[in-house]
Amino acid sequence: AVKLHGRDGWQFFNESLQEKARHRLSITNGLRLAIERNELSLRFQPIVVTESGRIVGGEVLLRWHPPEGEMSPGVFIPIAELTGAIVPIGSWVFRRSCETEVNWRSRWGGAAPYVSVNLSARQLGEESLVEDFVSILKETGADASRLLLEITETSLMANVDANLRMLRRLTDLGLRLAVDDFGTGYSSLSQLTRLPVNVLKIDRAFVDGIEKSQENRAVIRAVTGLGRALGLQLVAEGVENVEQQMELRAHHCDYCQGYYFHQPLMMEQFIDRVNAEMNRTGSPAEEVS
Ligand code: C2E
Ligand code: MG
Ligand code: MG
Ligand code: MG
């Protein structure tokens, strides 16, 4: 009976599934050891004022360098979420982000950029998350109100009721919340208003091509109008050219992030750019307290 299906066909089918599983397993095993093997690092992509390009924040982006070569977070994060490996890794990222907040504040005081950190839905599902974050905040001395947690729209909306309770506990700590990749999920607007959200990060799919067509501009107008109506701060992702910057400015999207302004940077580069900017504009390096 097996022969009816053709031997090669079956083999191909089985092998590709097996291969996929093997690939996942090796990534998962690698990720479990990544922290102690010192294979993780962070990049910081500036978030800027649309109008002036002034840096107001930095998004923390995880990098993994296993011995086989660097792997993109677009590949390993979804697997880490599936297997739960994201929980200890996310905790490591949050601790490093808190240390970064303290570092930047010690350099620039109240003028320091805020620190934006990605949080996965899988972390939100952990009862111990709040306790973990509380002790990390305490141990590092980070100012919670200078940290922004980014959660993708898709994962937020997947389980609003369960997430809501957790999000309230996080905002009670003073942490701020952003909806990441906004526009790619299917938010019901009434659900969105229930969430204690401060910032909408407009997915780069909506920024892509706004300079090219009337339709794309109509969409960005609708999305920015919605954000404003809800009283949210707007950040456009993936801004790659000056025409897009101009369009976003015309639609009163106050903040931007993208290769046109800055790539994700190493910590030292990030610090150099903020310093250079402050020297240029004469902004206070230290807040008078
Ligand atoms: P994201 O949070 O939406 O981050 C923005 C992604 O867009 C980053 O990719 C960034 O490098 C990229 N990007 C920035 N500007 C531009 C641009 O002008 N054009 C284009 N085409 N891309 C741009 P990256 O670093 O590869 O991260 C991919 C995703 O992986 C992130 O998307 C986020 O969802 C996830 N991720 C990264 N670090 C973490 C982390 O520490 N924890 C969790 N849970 N997820 C993370
Ligand atoms: Mg993000
Ligand atoms: Mg995003
Ligand atoms: Mg994205």
Side-chain angles (χ1 to χ4, degrees):
V2 171
K3 275 178 195 154
L4 287 176
H5 298 279
R7 207 180 131 77
D8 290 346
W10 275 111
Q11 256 187 358
F12 179 72
F13 178 72
N14 286 333
E15 273 176 9
S16 75
L17 274 187
Q18 245 171 24
E19 230 162 73
K20 234 187 203 162
R22 216 178 7 245
H23 185 60
R24 259 189 196 164
L25 192 65
S26 79
I27 289 177
T28 304
N29 289 337
L31 277 172
R32 291 230 160 89
L33 297 166
I35 296 177
E36 56 188 81
R37 285 184 180 162
N38 236 337
E39 292 169 355
L40 299 178
S41 71
L42 300 176
R43 296 291 177 273
F44 304 87
Q45 187 177 33
I47 296 161
V48 306
V49 175
T50 307
E51 178 106 35
S52 62
R54 184 170 62 85
I55 298 171
V56 293
E59 181 175 1
V60 178
L61 295 163
L62 184 61
R63 296 291 177 265
W64 182 28
H65 324 265
E68 307 87 276
E70 178 157 331
M71 187 178 297
S72 152
V75 174
F76 72 81
I77 295 277
I79 294 172
E81 286 177 337
L82 218 61
T83 62
I86 194 67
V87 174
I89 289 173
S91 176
W92 181 87
V93 170
F94 186 71
R95 182 179 291 274
R96 296 285 305 270
S97 302
C98 285
E99 290 166 359
T100 300
E101 190 285 319
V102 172
N103 176 333
W104 291 356
R105 190 155 39 88
S106 76
R107 291 169 188 279
W108 302 306
Y114 65 86
V115 179
S116 211
V117 192
N118 292 289
L119 187 73
S120 110
R122 181 70 187 247
Q123 290 173 273
L124 272 188
E126 292 288 311
E127 226 20 75
S128 58
L129 177 77
V130 175
E131 218 178 291
D132 185 41
F133 277 20
V134 167
S135 51
I136 292 172
L137 284 165
K138 221 180 254 163
E139 284 160 27
T140 57
D143 178 347
S145 71
R146 292 178 162 276
L147 289 153
L148 180 68
L149 298 177
E150 301 187 5
I151 308 164
T152 64
E153 183 187 23
T154 316
S155 59
L156 267 180
M157 296 303 160
N159 202 350
V160 177
D161 290 304
N163 286 339
L164 190 54
R165 194 177 53 85
M166 208 54 164
L167 295 175
R168 287 218 181 99
R169 293 176 66 195
L170 292 172
T171 53
D172 282 348
L173 300 177
L175 293 163
R176 297 194 313 134
L177 294 182
V179 182
D180 202 355
D181 301 349
F182 182 74
T184 58
Y186 297 92
S187 289
S188 102
L189 297 185
S190 63
Q191 299 285 46
L192 192 59
T193 58
R194 290 175 63 206
L195 296 170
V197 163
N198 312 93
V199 178
L200 278 192
K201 295 194 75 173
I202 301 170
D203 193 73
R204 70 163 181 270
F206 296 97
V207 173
D208 196 31
I210 39 172
E211 73 280 23
K212 288 190 193 117
S213 89
Q214 199 59 54
E215 285 80 4
N216 294 343
R217 276 194 290 278
V219 172
I220 205 79
R221 187 180 313 126
V223 175
T224 52
L226 169 66
R228 250 192 313 283
L230 295 174
L232 301 173
Q233 215 178 71
L234 296 172
V235 181
E237 300 185 303
V239 179
E240 295 185 349
N241 57 53
V242 66
E243 291 81 13
Q244 291 170 351
Q245 177 193 16
M246 293 308 160
E247 281 300 328
L248 289 161
R249 195 170 75 171
H251 291 102
H252 308 289
C253 177
D254 291 333
Y255 303 97
C256 285
Q257 181 179 349
Y259 299 159
Y260 174 64
F261 296 97
H262 304 273
Q263 300 273 331
L265 306 172
M266 310 264 272
M267 174 73 98
E268 308 75 59
Q269 297 174 299
F270 187 99
I271 289 169
D272 286 348
R273 296 216 186 165
V274 174
N275 277 335
E277 206 169 76
M278 288 190 178
N279 288 335
R280 203 168 48 242
T281 61
S283 291
E286 212 82 36
E287 194 183 50
V288 187
S289 53

